[in-house]
């Protein structure tokens, strides 16, 4: 029998982790191959479906870190461990991890944009020989919106990680005050030579200004990678909702090199 790639399948919710009033991670039972940066379509029967990035995975499970912003996500927030959710996927192109091997990596992430890059960053932390260094600049709006606190602390313990955590509007614990772009002067690009790559994830306006900030540091476009979701619906390039000119975000992305992404970002 031929597998229908748009047919949702039932999966059990294993755990629900609450971070804020509007953001939670749902751990869902899953066996299959995943690449860092891909996404799935999550659905509730008679309610609808939504594209959600995979924020983590391991043997027998996937993590989805979700913000309640509409009918489908509000309904997902009613689920608890043992309940059923429907998945289809994975879809899209993930992070080009082979290009990152043996290099200095700069990761700029903001808000819920930390989710699509979380599993990749964790893989750098777990395999300490994979990169030469990781410079992580991660920002949130305020201390009530901080996600993955335990993992933020663990990364600071890795000698290859240089972590700057910031909040837009306040000083708080080990967080600094300011937008992520305010700290680019602390990234030693001059020491990297040509041996580095940059990753940006977050809201479109944040990614645009972060890319402009990197360009001011003489970072070429081809060394910048971004991930974004744009009105993805069918996830297989048929509905056209995510189409920008001849590019289908669901098929050609959600990860793009900035040489292409600079013409796609709003």
């Amino acid at each position: 029998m031929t597998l229908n790639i748009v047919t949702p399948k039932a999966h059990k919710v294993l755990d629900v982790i609450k971070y804020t009033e509007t953001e939670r991670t749902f751990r869902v039972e899953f066996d299959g191959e995943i690449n860092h940066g891909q996404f799935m379509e999550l659905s509730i029967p008679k309610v609808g479906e939504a594209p959600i990035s995979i924020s983590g995975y391991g043997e027998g499970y996937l993590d989805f870190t979700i913000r309640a912003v509409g009918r489908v996500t509000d309904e997902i927030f009613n689920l608890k461990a043992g309940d059923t959710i429907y998945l289809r996927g994975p879809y899209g192109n993930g992070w080009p991890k082979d290009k990152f091997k043996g290099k200095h990596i700069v990761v700029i992430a903001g808000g819920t944009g930390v989710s699509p890059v979380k599993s990749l960053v964790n893989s750098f932390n777990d395999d300490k020989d994979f990169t030469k260094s990781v410079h992580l600049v991660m920002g949130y709006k305020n201390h009530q919106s901080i996600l993955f606190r335990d993992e933020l602390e663990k990364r600071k313990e890795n000698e290859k990680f240089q972590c700057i955590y910031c909040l837009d509007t306040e000083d708080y614990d080990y967080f600094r005050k300011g937008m992520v772009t305010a700290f680019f002067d602390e990234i030693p690009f001059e020491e990297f030579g040509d041996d580095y790559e940059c990753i940006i994830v977050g809201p479109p306006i944040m990614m645009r200004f972060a890319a402009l900030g990197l360009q001011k540091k003489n970072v070429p476009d081809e060394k910048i990678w971004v991930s974004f979701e744009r009105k993805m619906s069918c996830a297989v390039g048929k509905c056209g909702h995510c189409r920008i000119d001849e590019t289908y975000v669901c098929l050609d992305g959600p990860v793009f090199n900035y040489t292409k992404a600079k013409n796609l970002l709003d």
Side-chain angles (χ1 to χ4, degrees), residues 25-265:
T25 288
F26 292 80
R27 178 159 292 185
V28 180
E29 190 175 50
F30 183 84
D31 288 308
E33 294 187 3
I34 298 292
N35 292 323
H36 300 291
Q38 289 186 300
F39 70 98
M40 304 278 284
E41 291 281 349
L42 278 60
S43 60
I44 302 290
K46 299 182 181 181
V47 176
E49 67 178 2
I52 305 292
S53 295
I54 299 164
S55 60
Y57 62 89
E59 186 174 350
Y61 74 88
L62 295 177
D63 284 345
F64 301 96
T65 302
I66 301 173
R67 173 179 288 172
V69 293
R71 184 184 177 193
V72 177
T73 52
D74 286 348
E75 197 66 32
I76 291 174
F77 267 45
N78 290 327
L79 298 177
K80 58 186 182 301
D83 288 344
T84 297
I85 191 170
Y86 287 78
L87 308 180
R88 60 181 179 92
Y91 297 115
N93 292 311
W95 300 105
K97 191 174 179 181
D98 289 345
K99 288 184 176 291
F100 303 150
K101 186 174 178 61
K103 294 184 178 180
H104 300 280
I105 306 299
V106 177
V107 180
I108 315 296
T112 53
V114 303
S115 298
V117 78
K118 184 173 82 76
S119 67
L120 179 68
V121 173
N122 284 348
S123 75
F124 296 156
N125 190 41
D126 294 339
D127 184 356
K128 294 178 174 57
D129 295 325
F130 191 85
T131 63
K132 289 184 176 178
S133 69
V134 177
H135 289 259
L136 179 61
V137 183
M138 187 170 289
Y140 298 97
K141 183 178 180 180
N142 51 46
H143 76 271
Q144 290 95 344
S145 61
I146 298 170
L147 304 177
F148 316 124
R149 289 175 184 256
D150 291 345
E151 294 185 12
L152 300 185
E153 282 294 321
K154 289 178 181 177
R155 291 169 189 161
K156 293 178 71 173
E157 297 170 1
N158 187 331
E159 61 182 13
K160 284 198 173 182
F161 271 64
Q162 299 297 317
C163 302
I164 297 174
Y165 301 142
C166 55
L167 302 176
D168 293 351
T169 58
E170 60 181 310
D171 292 302
Y172 178 78
D173 291 346
Y174 51 84
F175 283 76
R176 297 164 66 179
K177 183 177 179 179
M179 303 289 188
V180 291
T181 50
F183 304 99
F184 285 7
D185 286 344
E186 299 181 34
I187 302 173
F189 288 105
E190 67 281 357
E191 298 178 9
F192 297 161
D194 193 48
D195 203 17
Y196 70 98
E197 301 285 341
C198 299
I199 296 168
I200 306 174
V201 225
I205 189 67
M206 170 262 175
M207 291 196 291
R208 179 170 291 280
F209 278 100
L212 290 172
L214 292 179
Q215 289 173 329
K216 289 179 181 178
K217 293 294 181 182
N218 298 314
V219 176
D221 291 346
E222 58 267 25
K223 288 190 172 295
I224 301 173
W225 301 86
V226 303
S227 174
F228 67 100
E229 297 173 358
R230 178 191 170 98
K231 301 177 182 177
M232 291 186 290
S233 182
C234 72
V236 293
K238 300 299 182 183
C239 72
H241 285 97
C242 70
R243 181 180 174 183
I244 307 172
D245 297 326
E246 300 305 314
T247 299
Y248 290 83
V249 174
C250 66
L251 296 178
D252 303 314
V255 173
F256 292 94
N257 187 262
Y258 198 65
T259 54
K260 187 174 184 68
K262 63 183 178 182
N263 299 316
L264 304 177
L265 289 171

